[in-house]
Amino acid sequence: MNPTEKPEEKITPAVLNASKKVLCIEDEPFIGELYTRALSKEGYEVKLEIDGAKGLELAQTDQFDIILLDLMVPNVTGIEILRALRDPQKTPHLKAKIIITTNLEQREDIKEDIEKQADGYIVKAELTPKQLVEFLNNIP
Amino acid sequence: MANKSDYFVRTKRQYLLSLFLMMLASNFVLIAIWITIKNKLSLSTGEYTEILGMVAVVISIALALVLTNHLISPIKALWRLIIGITPNSSMPAPNIDKLKVGHELVANLTAQVIQLSSAVGKEVKGNEKDSNIDHNFIANNLPLPMFILDSGQNIIFANSHAGEYIGINSSDLTGKNFYMVMDMSFPSDNTLDSWMKKVKKDSATATMSWERVKMRVLDNHPTLLFDLAAYYNKDNPQDFESVIVLFDHTKQYSQDEQAISFIALSVHELRTPLTLLRGYIEALEEVLADNPNAELKDFMQKMSATAQQLTVFVNNILNVARVDNDQLELQLREESWEDIITSAVNNISLRAKVRGINIETEIEPNLPSVGVDRLSIYEVINNLIDNAIKYSGNSKTIKVKAHMSKEGLIETTVQDFGVGISQNIMPNLFTKFYRDHKNRAQIGGNGLGLYLCKAIITAHGGNIWVRSKTGEGSEFSFTVRPYAQLAAELKNSDNKEIVRGAHGWIKNHSLYRR
């Protein structure tokens, strides 16, 4: 793709997202609250999970369209969750797009690894909840 | 051989000359004797004169031959001796006992020569013994990882420490391409690879060392940090073209990385409340969207702008720490410059707006695409516009202009019409923690922004500079390279993108890599 051509920005109506399920694994409850609010407004169905281990279990047993994954979550870390979800033996039928949401700066090489395995990588402080929803709307 | 025959010719000539002189001398003696006898005896020798003369000549020749042979024989003996001790000589040693003249002299000289030659022989033999010491023994007892490469950059030899250091059996390293095994990153454009290419072209031998070379070995293994020394020798007959030695400093250098981890953790702690502030401000704006109170709206926007500014500052802290520790990595990709400027300006417009400032953009149409790291360039533009806002004074306009420079670079200028910068501080403007002291009381800032801008632009291969006049405003300009220029570099490497660091830090791209 010629990068000078900007992809057309489509405003996705809430109706289109109505059937889309989001799992938000995030241990900071206020951030969870803000994300749930912004996503619900755009029609997404949001499941919020504070605990890493429970989050992984949910991701493996239930089907989601998008998983927002914080890297610093209790019990099982975000990186461990990411690895488990990308392991076809542990998670045979994963359909969800995995978006890493973090405020922690990683060492460049670790970050590269994470980015390779995930479908998106977001620094939470860089985006307001609305901007995050816009980002998710534009995921193919 | 030519010397030897030459020597013979000359000795022959000398031999004949001395023979002739001897003959002359003995003739005189004989004539003198003959005249004395003739006078004393008053003989009339008319009929015998011719016979006697001939007899005299024959005697003188015989005498001269005997004398010359005797006189020359010691020199001849010495000559034979010296020729005889040179290696591979078939000349038999002279028999000194047969010498009748100069026996003592020759005997002494012979003893000296034999002594000297045996001393030299010992030395030669001694060296041979040293060179027989097992090279592997030395190399493996050298407590440093060491590699010997051939002219194709393949490993001919790696000592056991080299294998241990990078976690591969050293015998498995032999024959492998050095750059395939060692994925190193250097702190500047002067990489081992670039140096090697240079010396191959114009040197017979060369040495060079590097500090703070990074190498990632395995997953879950700490990155190795070391100094590296290389020796290059073009004409080594065994094709031992270069020797590479590593000096591990992982421990020392990684302390700097720990300092980064501390900053990264602090930044994380700052970012979480920031995320919340920005999130709740946004939510509040939505809730109050229909509220007609203009003051409320104004306050909300100012809060939002302030939170944004804090986000930039937090990123500056992190990135300055990275710059200082050679850890800022840039991924240069093809981008539309107009697109980047427009979105950066949009991003910051709220901060300008709450101060009543309007940002005007003037972008030359049809600029070629650029090779930049998008996020870092956003930070540069953000910092420059932030500065322009801070130092705008009563002026309400900021201009952002971009055009193609004469040198074929894309030049961008952020211009304000505010307080300006006094001449005496201009040279230090891009230094860390530097600020205009006169303005410090009124204007916030941390002296990190311009330092970071310079580091990022330098890493992009561009330049940054300032023009300013007190009371009239300032113009900060910087250049970035068109993507086409980078594409040429990309062609020569296997990477799909160029990775650069703040001090021009670059991956050890290699043409040898497949």
Side-chain angles (χ1 to χ4, degrees):
Chain A
M1 188 185 84
N2 183 351
T4 52
E5 284 172 19
K6 230 169 103 185
E8 271 184 53
E9 280 180 18
K10 290 176 196 148
I11 300 157
T12 321
V15 199
L16 278 179
N17 291 327
S19 55
K20 283 196 175 175
K21 281 172 79 182
V22 179
L23 171 63
C24 179
I25 307 176
E26 167 65 64
D27 72 327
E28 168 53 56
F30 290 171
I31 292 180
E33 180 188 61
L34 283 167
Y35 284 179
T36 309
R37 179 182 178 274
L39 284 163
S40 308
K41 275 198 147 187
E42 285 280 317
Y44 290 96
E45 188 189 325
V46 187
K47 173 83 191 146
L48 184 65
E49 183 50 64
I50 288 174
D51 182 85
K54 284 182 189 160
L56 175 60
E57 204 189 311
L58 261 175
Q60 285 170 327
T61 51
D62 208 347
Q63 281 294 354
F64 294 93
D65 297 285
I66 295 164
I67 298 172
L68 297 178
L69 180 57
D70 186 11
L71 292 180
M72 279 169 103
V73 283
N75 294 324
V76 178
T77 69
I79 293 176
E80 286 166 338
I81 296 174
L82 182 63
R83 283 212 190 104
L85 293 182
R86 284 290 178 239
D87 184 344
Q89 285 191 326
K90 288 177 184 158
T91 317
H93 308 290
L94 187 85
K95 147 186 152 197
K97 302 273 182 199
I98 306 172
I99 311 294
I100 304 297
T101 56
T102 184
N103 272 329
L104 183 69
E105 281 301 319
Q106 308 288 337
R107 231 173 57 197
E108 204 61 43
D109 45 358
I110 298 176
K111 190 179 163 188
E112 270 172 37
D113 267 6
I114 298 171
E115 277 179 326
K116 254 182 235 161
Q117 293 183 64
D119 298 295
Y121 188 102
I122 282 168
V123 174
K124 287 184 277 189
E126 303 283 326
L127 296 180
T128 64
K130 246 186 175 171
Q131 287 168 329
L132 172 76
V133 175
E134 263 170 51
F135 176 85
L136 297 185
N137 284 345
N138 285 319
I139 288 178
Chain B
M1 290 306 273
N3 284 342
K4 219 171 183 178
S5 61
D6 185 40
Y7 176 82
F8 276 120
V9 170
R10 259 190 281 161
T11 36
K12 225 176 224 170
R13 242 184 253 155
Q14 270 163 12
Y15 185 78
L16 288 175
L17 187 68
S18 34
L19 200 68
F20 177 71
L21 287 173
M22 284 292 168
M23 265 169 66
L24 222 61
S26 46
N27 257 330
F28 276 123
V29 174
L30 284 173
I31 289 165
I33 294 170
W34 176 242
I35 289 169
T36 316
I37 294 170
K38 202 179 115 184
N39 286 346
K40 282 242 163 117
L41 299 179
S42 305
L43 291 171
S44 103
T45 52
E47 50 218 271
Y48 301 111
T49 310
E50 278 170 21
I51 300 160
L52 280 170
M54 277 175 71
V55 169
V57 168
V58 170
I59 293 171
S60 78
I61 287 174
L63 207 65
L65 267 171
V66 172
L67 275 171
T68 308
N69 267 336
H70 272 83
L71 284 174
I72 282 180
S73 62
I75 298 169
K76 223 173 167 181
L78 276 174
W79 170 72
R80 275 170 176 277
L81 175 75
I82 290 165
I83 297 291
I85 59 167
T86 54
N88 310 323
S89 163
S90 56
M91 184 78 73
N95 190 348
I96 298 163
D97 295 335
K98 275 191 180 165
L99 283 180
K100 280 162 190 134
V101 182
H103 181 277
E104 202 180 328
L105 174 82
V106 173
N108 280 338
L109 278 173
T110 305
Q112 286 286 323
V113 168
I114 288 172
Q115 230 172 26
L116 269 173
S117 75
S118 73
V120 171
K122 250 183 216 159
E123 216 167 83
V124 171
K125 250 191 174 172
N127 276 346
E128 262 169 24
K129 200 180 169 192
D130 277 350
S131 63
N132 279 338
I133 291 180
D134 186 5
H135 287 112
N136 286 342
F137 175 81
I138 299 178
N140 287 328
N141 281 282
L142 179 76
L144 297 165
M146 185 188 105
F147 303 87
I148 298 174
L149 313 185
D150 67 11
S151 50
Q153 316 299 313
N154 296 313
I155 300 171
I156 298 178
F157 174 81
N159 70 356
S160 54
H161 288 278
E164 277 164 33
Y165 190 58
I166 60 171
I168 301 172
N169 200 328
S170 56
S171 57
D172 292 344
L173 287 169
T174 317
K176 293 230 170 74
N177 184 292
F178 184 64
Y179 295 108
M180 297 281 269
V181 180
M182 304 284 286
D183 186 14
M184 296 174 290
S185 303
F186 286 80
S188 80
D189 279 3
N190 178 23
T191 63
L192 174 67
D193 188 27
S194 67
W195 174 78
M196 206 79 107
K197 275 178 198 145
K198 209 180 136 250
V199 295
K200 264 175 188 284
K201 242 196 304 179
D202 31 67
S203 311
T205 63
T207 52
M208 180 74 180
S209 61
W210 291 262
E211 283 184 0
R212 283 178 187 272
V213 181
K214 276 198 276 192
M215 193 178 100
R216 207 174 157 214
V217 191
L218 298 162
D219 295 338
N220 307 321
H221 196 282
T223 302
L224 298 175
L225 295 154
F226 50 85
D227 294 349
L228 184 150
Y231 168 73
Y232 171 84
N233 183 5
K234 192 182 224 130
D235 297 319
N236 193 303
Q238 283 154 296
D239 202 20
F240 286 181
E241 195 187 57
S242 43
V243 180
I244 314 269
V245 181
L246 311 181
F247 305 86
D248 181 55
H249 288 297
T250 305
K251 224 176 196 172
Q252 289 104 298
Y253 293 162
S254 63
Q255 274 169 2
D256 305 335
E257 304 218 341
Q258 274 163 19
I260 296 265
S261 322
F262 170 73
I263 290 166
L265 212 64
S266 312
V267 163
H268 175 257
E269 294 309 306
L270 285 167
R271 272 177 174 171
T272 304
L274 251 174
T275 313
L276 291 171
L277 269 176
R278 293 185 69 186
Y280 283 113
I281 290 167
E282 190 185 68
L284 205 57
E285 273 176 331
E286 268 176 48
V287 173
L288 298 173
D290 299 332
N291 192 306
N293 189 334
E295 202 179 25
L296 198 68
K297 212 167 205 164
D298 180 44
F299 288 171
M300 289 306 302
Q301 281 186 343
K302 281 176 179 159
M303 270 167 70
S304 181
T306 311
Q308 271 182 31
Q309 208 179 325
L310 195 55
T311 316
V312 173
F313 169 62
V314 167
N315 284 343
N316 277 0
I317 296 178
L318 188 73
N319 286 324
V320 165
R322 284 183 176 148
V323 168
D324 287 349
N325 290 288
D326 286 329
Q327 290 195 9
L328 186 75
E329 257 184 45
L330 305 180
Q331 265 103 38
L332 307 190
R333 294 197 177 97
E334 187 173 13
E335 304 275 5
S336 148
W337 194 237
E338 186 174 359
D339 186 27
I340 285 193
I341 300 248
T342 313
S343 42
V345 169
N346 278 346
N347 212 341
I348 206 170
S349 61
L350 179 67
R351 270 176 279 167
K353 195 180 149 197
V354 294
R355 287 166 204 270
I357 293 169
N358 185 37
I359 304 175
E360 293 172 8
T361 52
E362 276 175 43
I363 302 164
E364 197 177 271
N366 304 321
L367 282 178
S369 63
V370 290
V372 297
D373 179 281
R374 201 180 178 98
L375 287 180
S376 305
I377 284 295
Y378 276 159
E379 274 166 26
V380 172
I381 301 171
N382 254 330
N383 272 297
L384 293 181
I385 297 181
D386 249 354
N387 275 344
I389 295 173
K390 275 181 214 159
Y391 295 97
S392 264
N394 294 323
S395 150
K396 298 295 172 203
T397 305
I398 289 170
K399 279 186 181 169
V400 180
K401 297 177 280 190
H403 73 278
M404 188 82 163
S405 78
K406 273 175 264 164
E407 293 80 27
L409 300 169
I410 289 130
E411 186 177 318
T412 307
T413 302
V414 175
Q415 184 181 15
D416 70 66
F417 303 91
V419 295
I421 304 159
S422 57
Q423 290 298 316
N424 57 327
I425 69 152
M426 295 269 263
N428 299 315
L429 218 51
F430 294 96
T431 323
K432 197 161 56 167
F433 303 129
Y434 205 86
R435 240 177 346 143
D436 188 346
H437 288 270
K438 225 163 71 186
N439 287 326
R440 186 174 275 188
Q442 303 111 329
I443 299 147
N446 49 72
L448 294 179
L450 288 176
Y451 172 74
L452 185 65
C453 288
K454 189 180 164 76
I456 292 173
I457 293 302
T458 309
H460 275 83
N463 253 323
I464 185 163
W465 66 95
V466 60
R467 273 190 295 260
S468 183
K469 210 169 175 191
T470 319
E472 288 181 19
S474 312
E475 271 182 63
F476 283 88
S477 305
F478 65 92
T479 50
V480 289
R481 295 160 70 192
Y483 181 73
Q485 276 189 22
L486 289 166
E489 277 182 38
L490 287 169
K491 234 184 191 174
N492 291 333
S493 79
D494 57 343
N495 293 36
K496 286 182 196 74
E497 59 187 20
I498 297 248
V499 181
R500 274 183 168 264
H503 304 297
W505 188 95
I506 193 160
K507 286 257 187 197
N508 190 42
H509 293 293
S510 176
L511 289 174
Y512 305 111
R513 248 196 250 180
R514 251 160 273 151

